[in-house]
Amino acid sequence: MHTEFYRDSYMPNHTPAFGQRVWVDMTKERAESYAKKRLEALKAHRRVIPSEEEMIFQSLFESIYHDGQAPDMAVTGYKEVQP
């Protein structure tokens, strides 16, 4: 878990090594993917009222995306396979 983001250095010219983890800006697509996974987990534990599903998804999305200012971790050379 990474908690002290203020200690991170901005290095726009850094070329990460293969497999290195780097923080990147959150994209809408990644935020939607994370929100869908969290919603599915909540539904699996019966913590979602069906009529509130869209509202919960939007709340999760906004809490993850933060207008693109939230960090996301990427692993250099790794591509996530979509099911």
Side-chain angles (χ1 to χ4, degrees):
M1 176 177 252
H2 188 69
T3 58
E4 298 177 352
F5 290 98
Y6 67 91
R7 290 186 169 193
D8 292 348
S9 298
Y10 176 63
M11 301 177 66
N13 297 321
H14 174 69
T15 303
F18 184 85
Q20 182 179 1
R21 296 176 183 161
V22 294
W23 293 106
V24 296
D25 292 337
M26 180 64 68
T27 65
K28 284 186 176 184
E29 294 78 19
R30 292 285 287 178
E32 286 175 0
S33 175
Y34 290 138
K36 286 178 186 175
K37 288 176 184 175
R38 288 186 187 175
L39 180 61
E40 291 304 315
L42 290 171
K43 287 168 53 176
H45 290 92
R46 301 174 194 249
R47 298 186 180 195
V48 175
I49 299 170
S51 63
E52 296 179 354
E53 192 170 317
E54 182 60 30
M55 179 193 67
I56 293 170
F57 173 79
Q58 286 301 321
S59 178
L60 289 167
F61 171 78
E62 290 300 325
S63 71
I64 295 166
Y65 184 58
H66 290 283
D67 292 324
Q69 299 301 309
D72 188 17
M73 181 175 286
V75 180
T76 305
Y78 172 80
K79 291 187 179 183
E80 188 171 314
V81 177
Q82 299 296 322

